[in-house]
Amino acid sequence: MTTGGIDKQSYWQLKAVTVWIILLVSTITAWHESSNYQMIAIIITIILALIKVILVIYSYMEVTGAARWLQILCGLWILIVFGVILFSYTMPGFLLQLSLMQ
């Protein structure tokens, strides 16, 4: 069976290699940006981590072929975890005030 002129196995191999290259480039970019402690560098690194998590969960763990409830659960988990991480890095003063109120 062919998909757009190539067979199915070649398609999946090409997809795996493409995802791997994206993961590799984002890892190198995140490593390069991690030496810069400006807020924009931190946000870029977090967004790159988000992209990597999405790629790994939906490509290598094959959640795209799983039950719909598992796809939704993984998507919600990603949104919640990265929302908390991004919030904690961009609003540290708010978290400090919250902890001092107790």
Side-chain angles (χ1 to χ4, degrees), residues 58-70:
Y58 287 100
S59 295
Y60 290 127
M61 295 174 66
E62 297 181 0
V63 172
T64 53
R68 191 73 181 144
W69 66 268
L70 184 58

Side-chain angles (χ1 to χ4, degrees), residues 50-67:
L50 170 66
I51 292 168
K52 290 167 62 174
V53 166
I54 290 171
L55 285 173
V56 168
I57 287 177
Y58 287 100
S59 295
Y60 290 127
M61 295 174 66
E62 297 181 0
V63 172
T64 53

Side-chain angles (χ1 to χ4, degrees), residues 58 63 66-79:
Y58 287 100
V63 172
R68 191 73 181 144
W69 66 268
L70 184 58
Q71 294 175 9
I72 293 170
L73 185 65
C74 287
L76 287 174
W77 179 82
I78 291 169
L79 285 175

